[in-house]
């Protein structure tokens, strides 16, 4: 309502200089608009821009560490496979290694974390290429054998005893107490988001929590949410889209291809090779995703040497090729035509072609980049410009005549192209 609407008529007009002064004063006092408030519905929550630190990061380390590292056998789902499904191999393992009546809770005292040194872990993760480390927390919405969850399940999830007494109080406490930069939600698949009260929590997280301005979440907030609602999309474990998605996404995978948690019965054929990991990283980033690589520490808090070796090898590769990975964007072409081994990324006007197979003739042929009078071509880790020519079959790049052992990396080489279209 205008001020003069209350009286008998409008006040006389103000002198122009005074009017301008009042308008200027109002502009100075007004300041920035209040931050947007998000309502507890997916239309509003999904409209929140993803904090840009996440897209720039590109690579992160996932850690699965819990009581399952005590039996350290089978997988991190040990308890469920043993007591939920009653798988014979798990029952046999227990009968051969533990006394009768031994429960999952009895593993607890052996989860000592005796050699856990967080600074050592952080140093390793940074050496692995996880720059500007941000702190994330994994949280499972469900709990397999919690009596309140089982009661809600019996009631066909028409009641929310478990959610109100355990899940939501725990989530709010985790955020207020530890202030994570990222919440990696899981365990949503048996119930819709309305059972979990997910939208209520996320509206508080985005509006009023201590991390509201920079927190990032994934899409596992109900059985109807994966690949549809939330922050960035996981879609499913080890998700690999075949073309460029229109939403920020993440591939989460594990060095141990069989388990997310540490297990003593892991064998070398179960361990992802350096080449496999780099290939997945390159493909993921080219298609606009982030790559989250998992390791499982022991019950003592140690990261076994084979996991350390894989992480350090990725860090070494990123120390040379990180320019093509960190803060990059998908180019107009992601995968070179008629090949599965050349992937593109970009930063500003610079294009990067990462090739995963060294051509036998030492000449890399690219059909997608269009050269101009200002084109320059180099290889990351090599000082000199590379020779190149344009032929009917495309752009030909003459690679350094060096043995593979003297190249800056042994696998996954990056061509940097400036002045191309």
């Amino acid at each position: 309502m205008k001020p003069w609407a209350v009286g008998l008529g409008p006040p006389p007009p103000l002198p122009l200089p005074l009017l301008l002064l009042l308008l200027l004063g109002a502009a100075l006092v007004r300041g920035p608009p209040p931050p947007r408030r998000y309502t507890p519905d997916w239309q509003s929550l999904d409209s929140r821009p993803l904090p840009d630190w996440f897209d720039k990061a590109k690579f992160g380390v996932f850690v699965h560490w819990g009581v399952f590292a005590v039996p350290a056998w089978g997988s991190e789902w040990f308890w469920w496979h043993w007591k939920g499904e009653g798988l014979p191999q798990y029952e046999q393992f227990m009968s051969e290694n533990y006394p009768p009546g031994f429960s999952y809770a009895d593993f607890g005292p052996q989860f000592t974390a005796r050699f856990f040194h967080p600074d050592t872990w952080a140093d390793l993760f940074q050496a692995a290429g996880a720059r500007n480390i941000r702190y994330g927390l994994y949280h499972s919405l469900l709990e397999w054998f919690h009596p309140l969850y089982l009661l809600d399940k019996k009631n066909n999830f028409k009641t929310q005893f478990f959610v109100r007494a355990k899940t939501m109080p725990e989530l709010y406490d985790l955020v207020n107490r530890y202030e994570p930069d990222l919440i990696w939600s899981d365990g949503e698949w048996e119930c819709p988001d309305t059972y979990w009260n997910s939208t209520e929590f996320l509206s508080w997280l985005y509006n009023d929590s201590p991390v509201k301005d920079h927190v990032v979440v994934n899409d596992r907030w109900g059985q109807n949410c994966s690949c549809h609602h939330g922050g960035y999309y996981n879609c499913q474990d080890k998700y690999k889209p075949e073309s460029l998605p229109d939403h920020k996404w993440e591939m989460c995978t594990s060095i141990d291809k069989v388990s997310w948690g540490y297990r003593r019965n892991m064998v070398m054929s179960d361990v992802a090779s350096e080449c496999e990991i780099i290939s997945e990283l390159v493909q993921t980033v080219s298609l606009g995703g982030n790559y989250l690589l998992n390791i499982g520490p022991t019950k003592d808090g140690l990261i076994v040497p084979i996991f350390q070796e894989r992480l350090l090898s990725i860090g070494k590769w990123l120390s040379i090729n990180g320019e093509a990975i960190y803060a990059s964007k998908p180019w107009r072409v992601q995968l070179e035509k008629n090949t599965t081994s050349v992937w593109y990324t970009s930063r500003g006007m610079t294009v990067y072609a990462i090739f995963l197979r060294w051509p036998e003739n030492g000449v890399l042929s690219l059909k997608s980049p269009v050269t101009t009078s200002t084109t320059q071509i180099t290889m990351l880790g090599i000082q000199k410009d590379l020779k190149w020519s344009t032929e009917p079959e495309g752009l030909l790049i003459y690679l350094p005549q060096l043995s593979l052992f003297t190249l800056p990396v042994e696998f996954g080489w990056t061509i940097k192209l400036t002045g191309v279209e």
Side-chain angles (χ1 to χ4, degrees):
M1 181 180 291
K2 296 180 180 179
W4 56 80
V6 179
L8 298 176
L14 293 170
L16 184 59
L18 181 57
L19 178 61
L20 291 175
L21 181 61
L22 288 175
L23 290 175
L24 178 60
L28 291 173
V29 171
R30 187 178 296 122
R36 177 179 174 182
R37 301 285 296 181
Y38 296 94
T39 53
D41 58 84
W42 287 121
Q43 183 177 359
S44 176
L45 297 170
D46 289 345
S47 70
R48 178 183 182 254
L50 192 72
D52 64 355
W53 71 260
F54 182 77
D55 181 57
K56 291 177 179 178
K58 302 302 182 187
F59 174 69
V61 179
F62 207 2
V63 179
H64 275 68
W65 193 33
V67 173
F68 46 78
V70 176
W73 190 89
S75 84
E76 78 287 350
W77 278 44
F78 185 95
W79 193 10
W80 178 255
H81 293 324
W82 173 33
K83 289 298 186 180
E85 296 177 300
L87 297 182
Q89 61 267 41
Y90 284 81
E91 293 180 346
Q92 182 179 352
F93 172 83
M94 290 302 300
S95 66
E96 291 177 352
N97 294 281
Y98 295 92
F102 196 93
S103 70
Y104 191 76
D106 292 329
F107 288 126
Q110 298 176 51
F111 186 69
T112 64
R114 176 182 295 179
F115 303 116
F116 171 54
H117 299 292
D119 290 343
T120 302
W121 282 24
D123 290 343
L124 174 62
F125 299 158
Q126 282 196 308
R131 290 185 175 179
N132 304 316
I133 287 183
R134 296 271 185 161
Y135 171 56
L137 285 175
Y138 172 97
H139 179 264
S140 176
L141 294 172
L142 66 75
E143 191 172 309
W144 289 317
F145 304 109
H146 194 292
L148 292 179
Y149 183 71
L150 295 177
L151 177 59
D152 286 345
K153 194 172 185 176
K154 182 179 178 181
N155 294 335
N156 199 28
F157 299 113
K158 301 299 183 184
T159 57
Q160 294 177 298
F161 297 114
F162 177 71
V163 174
R164 299 186 187 282
K166 194 267 185 186
T167 301
M168 280 302 146
E170 184 175 73
L171 261 177
Y172 283 95
D173 181 61
L174 283 172
V175 172
N176 286 317
R177 187 189 300 258
Y178 299 107
E179 299 189 7
D181 297 301
L182 187 149
I183 299 175
W184 210 98
S185 182
D186 198 13
E188 84 297 352
W189 53 81
E190 290 190 338
C191 321
D193 66 272
T194 50
Y195 169 75
W196 297 116
N197 289 345
S198 297
T199 56
E200 292 284 347
F201 169 74
L202 290 174
S203 65
W204 169 82
L205 185 72
Y206 293 169
N207 292 328
D208 302 309
S209 78
V211 293
K212 59 185 174 63
D213 295 325
H214 61 268
V215 71
V216 172
V217 303
N218 63 347
D219 59 351
R220 301 186 181 189
W221 297 99
Q223 62 186 185
N224 53 320
C225 293
S226 183
C227 235
H228 291 95
H229 299 298
Y232 65 91
Y233 292 168
N234 287 130
C235 297
Q236 61 192 37
D237 291 349
K238 305 183 181 182
Y239 175 60
K240 289 184 181 181
E242 296 182 356
S243 59
L244 181 65
D246 59 5
H247 191 95
K248 183 64 187 180
W249 65 283
E250 173 189 81
M251 179 186 181
C252 61
T253 190
S254 187
I255 294 177
D256 179 353
K257 293 184 281 188
V258 176
S259 175
W260 298 85
Y262 172 72
R263 60 193 181 98
R264 293 174 287 175
N265 56 327
M266 179 180 68
V267 297
M268 277 304 299
S269 60
D270 296 332
V271 179
S273 69
E274 176 184 345
C275 295
E276 288 175 309
I277 295 170
I278 291 173
S279 295
E280 288 182 342
L281 169 64
V282 169
Q283 178 177 342
T284 298
V285 174
S286 178
L287 290 173
N290 279 19
Y291 188 70
L292 186 62
L293 185 62
N294 175 77
I295 52 102
T298 69
K299 64 180 182 180
D300 308 301
L302 296 174
I303 298 172
V304 294
I306 189 62
F307 292 164
Q308 293 187 46
E309 189 276 335
R310 290 294 188 268
L311 290 175
L312 291 173
S313 68
I314 304 310
K316 178 183 176 182
W317 187 87
L318 284 167
S319 71
I320 301 295
N321 298 282
E323 180 183 333
I325 299 296
Y326 302 116
S328 66
K329 296 289 184 181
W331 192 44
R332 62 175 176 82
V333 175
Q334 291 80 56
L335 178 62
E336 176 61 22
K337 301 170 185 176
N338 302 319
T339 180
T340 58
S341 61
V342 182
W343 294 88
Y344 291 101
T345 64
S346 68
R347 291 181 67 174
M349 301 301 292
T350 302
V351 176
Y352 301 91
I354 307 172
F355 61 104
L356 305 178
R357 292 195 193 97
W358 192 275
E360 292 183 6
N361 62 357
V363 180
L364 182 65
S365 176
L366 302 178
K367 300 182 183 299
S368 300
V370 178
T371 60
T372 68
S373 59
T374 62
T375 295
Q376 285 187 297
I377 300 177
T378 57
M379 177 185 285
L380 297 186
I382 299 290
Q383 294 291 332
K384 297 180 179 179
D385 287 2
L386 300 182
K387 294 180 180 180
W388 56 273
S389 65
T390 53
E391 305 293 342
E393 59 266 36
L395 171 62
L396 301 183
I397 301 172
Y398 304 95
L399 301 174
Q401 295 183 349
L402 301 171
S403 72
L404 293 180
F405 299 104
T406 56
L407 289 169
V409 293
E410 298 177 9
F411 178 82
W413 307 270
T414 302
I415 299 297
K416 179 179 181 179
L417 305 102
T418 58
V420 296
E421 299 173 349

